[in-house]
Amino acid sequence: MKATEEPARRQWVPVRDWALWKRPRRWITYTLTTEAITLALTIWAALYFSVTDQQIGTYALLAGLGVLQAEISRKIERARRSLNVTPHISMTSVWMLPGILLLPPQLIALLSFTLYMHLGIRTWFGLRNVDPHRTATNATTVILTCFIANLVTHALFGADPMNATPGVAAGAVCVAGAMYFLVNTAITGGGLYLAAPEKASVKRIVGTWDDNLLDLATLCLGGMMVMAIINQPLMGLVMFVPMFVMQRSVLAKQLEELASTDQKTGLLNATAWHHRGNQELSRASRTGGEFSVMMIDLDYFKKINDTYGHLAGDDMLIALADLLKRETRAHDLVGRFGGEEFVVLLAGASELEAVVAAERLRMLITELVVHSNTNDGEAVVISDRSASIGVAAYPEAGQTLDEVLASADAAVYVAKESGRNRVVGVATRDTVAATPG
């Protein structure tokens, strides 16, 4: 399932549950309301629904398999959770989907509690920002999701759809899986939005395509698990192999992205940018094409850190990164070289075209408004920012990527020396430098 808040990225520290009360009040209200509803429904189900010995056996089998699988892949899951920067996809839906179709609501709740208690203690304990209240919230989200999926599925297919015809059973599995995916996404997305509406984005709230494909893949395994439990319960052990391979594959992809991505902004880091920039240079050299580089340096960035603190400075950098990604084309290369210095490679663009684009970005930066907090938690609004931008083009400014970058960097220096908040291209650099500030 999708975790309701983004896990940490950098270090492991002791767990402190007090973080719950530092979250926005609207998020606390949403979370506590969801948990209260889930608790009330669980108590009602325990009083209203009877439980058979077979259902208790099914619960024990699912809980045992889930705990065993989590133990086998514990180190991989811990690494995935610590590296993840979007809603985290765990593998619990493999066990919860059979629960929707084969268990009464109170045992569904107990199954989720068992799996998440084990994950919280054995796998996620000590990870930064994976506090107990977040594990509890994740478990609550799963329980409520399963309750709704259970209600809809049984309303459509009857009280015991898995003992009906093969077509009805298959339809029930598909509907239960679809409801799990949609309801879980809605509940999780609502929590993520309320936690930080100013940072809301589709990627942050619902995850990437890869995240959701992983979620769907685990639901498919969950559907196969339903059939295994009905026909041959011990076949559930076979699911461990694809689950383990999936988790390792996802971890490998996360590590690959980590190696090429600036963790603060999500842009390409300097190494990855140079690598892809040299690929563009080879293409342009081979085809007789051109490209331009923009070097962007925020003016007086240090004053933001000194005045409001580094958290506000980080939010300013993230906001600028989002602006650059939003205002450039998919095949352009946007990177952060460190500090407040950003670089953009515009494929196929002449220097004149790049100067026009840079001027538009400069204006957008002056209009940028960033809502943040000081290190003490006080709300602040950062506005009236500016940037100095240098532009250079291949092949006029140099025959190598480093030569083009050096020319763009020199143009940034001229922009700063001549008053800041301006765009300077290599073609106009000497003219600007000779003009009194």
Side-chain angles (χ1 to χ4, degrees):
M1 57 82 64
K2 301 180 182 72
T4 55
E5 293 191 60
E6 293 179 66
R9 291 177 270 181
R10 296 185 182 87
Q11 56 183 321
W12 297 349
V13 299
V15 172
R16 293 181 176 87
D17 198 31
W18 306 111
L20 169 63
W21 309 112
K22 296 181 180 180
R23 305 301 298 170
R25 183 173 299 176
R26 56 186 176 270
W27 181 86
I28 295 175
T29 301
Y30 177 86
T31 300
L32 294 181
T33 300
T34 302
E35 292 177 354
I37 292 172
T38 304
L39 179 61
L41 289 174
T42 302
I43 294 173
W44 171 78
L47 296 174
Y48 183 81
F49 291 97
S50 60
V51 178
T52 66
D53 291 342
Q54 182 179 3
Q55 289 170 334
I56 293 175
T58 301
Y59 155 76
L61 175 64
L62 289 171
L65 290 173
V67 168
L68 180 58
Q69 186 274 329
E71 280 294 319
I72 291 172
S73 59
R74 188 169 68 90
K75 291 184 178 180
I76 295 176
E77 172 64 16
R78 186 177 180 88
R80 281 187 57 228
R81 185 69 192 261
S82 66
L83 293 174
N84 201 265
V85 296
T86 60
H88 179 75
I89 310 299
S90 70
M91 311 294 283
T92 55
S93 55
V94 173
W95 319 110
M96 296 310 302
L97 184 59
I100 293 171
L101 295 162
L102 302 174
L103 299 178
Q106 64 267 46
L107 289 185
I108 292 175
L110 183 59
L111 177 60
S112 177
F113 175 82
T114 302
L115 296 178
Y116 276 90
M117 177 69 75
H118 177 264
L119 282 171
I121 295 173
R122 289 287 295 159
T123 303
W124 298 336
F125 182 80
L127 291 181
R128 181 179 175 86
N129 287 337
V130 188
D131 298 313
H133 79 264
R134 297 190 180 188
T135 301
T137 300
N138 295 338
T140 300
T141 300
V142 169
I143 294 170
L144 189 55
T145 296
C146 290
F147 281 178
I148 296 173
N150 176 278
L151 175 64
V152 172
T153 304
H154 287 93
L156 292 175
F157 297 95
D160 193 9
M162 301 316 297
N163 283 328
T165 64
V168 170
V173 171
C174 291
V175 169
M179 289 302 302
Y180 186 99
F181 180 83
L182 295 173
V183 175
N184 181 261
T185 298
I187 296 174
T188 301
L192 284 169
Y193 176 80
L194 292 174
E198 69 280 359
K199 299 179 182 178
S201 66
V202 173
K203 180 180 178 180
R204 182 174 186 272
I205 292 174
V206 302
T208 65
W209 279 107
D210 288 341
D211 292 331
N212 287 285
L213 285 174
L214 176 62
D215 206 8
L216 289 172
T218 59
L219 287 169
C220 290
L221 290 177
M224 296 172 63
M225 179 62 67
V226 175
M227 301 304 177
I229 289 175
I230 292 174
N231 297 294
Q232 183 54 261
L234 290 180
M235 286 297 293
L237 294 171
V238 175
M239 299 296 173
F240 287 14
V241 176
M243 291 176 69
F244 187 80
V245 172
M246 284 170 58
Q247 286 180 301
R248 287 197 56 159
S249 298
V250 173
L251 176 59
K253 187 175 186 300
Q254 286 178 274
L255 291 172
E256 181 181 347
E257 291 177 351
L258 186 67
S260 63
T261 303
D262 172 62
Q263 294 303 292
K264 193 183 298 296
T265 62
L267 301 179
L268 295 173
N269 60 26
T271 301
W273 191 94
H274 273 91
H275 175 70
R276 294 181 59 179
N278 277 313
Q279 290 179 333
E280 177 61 26
L281 174 71
S282 297
R283 185 202 62 78
S285 175
R286 187 171 58 254
T287 62
E290 59 185 348
F291 64 83
S292 291
V293 169
M294 293 190 299
M295 200 73 106
I296 303 167
D297 199 303
L298 278 172
D299 296 329
Y300 304 113
F301 175 73
K302 186 175 183 296
K303 288 186 178 180
I304 298 177
N305 288 332
D306 293 342
T307 304
Y308 304 117
H310 290 282
L311 294 178
D314 287 350
D315 283 342
M316 183 67 207
L317 295 175
I318 293 169
L320 177 54
D322 291 341
L323 172 66
L324 295 178
K325 286 186 286 188
R326 188 170 61 249
E327 297 297 329
T328 54
R329 301 165 299 180
H331 58 279
D332 293 330
L333 304 181
V334 186
R336 176 174 177 243
F337 276 16
E340 67 273 26
E341 190 174 63
F342 296 79
V343 62
V344 180
L345 186 151
L346 300 174
S350 66
E351 181 175 324
L352 178 59
E353 292 170 329
V355 167
V356 172
E359 182 62 30
R360 178 171 57 85
L361 288 174
R362 185 193 66 80
M363 289 298 298
L364 289 172
I365 292 170
T366 63
E367 298 168 0
L368 194 60
V369 177
V370 178
H371 296 270
S372 184
N373 299 94
T374 65
N375 291 343
D376 296 328
E378 181 182 350
V380 296
V381 178
I382 306 171
S383 58
D384 300 322
R385 296 292 98 192
S386 66
S388 300
I389 306 177
V391 177
Y394 170 86
E396 292 83 6
Q399 296 300 307
T400 68
L401 185 61
D402 286 340
E403 289 175 353
V404 177
L405 278 170
S407 295
D409 191 52
V412 170
Y413 180 80
V414 172
K416 286 187 172 294
E417 288 295 305
S418 56
R420 303 178 190 267
N421 191 25
R422 63 186 62 199
V423 175
V424 174
V426 170
T428 58
R429 185 177 60 195
D430 294 338
T431 303
V432 173
T435 303

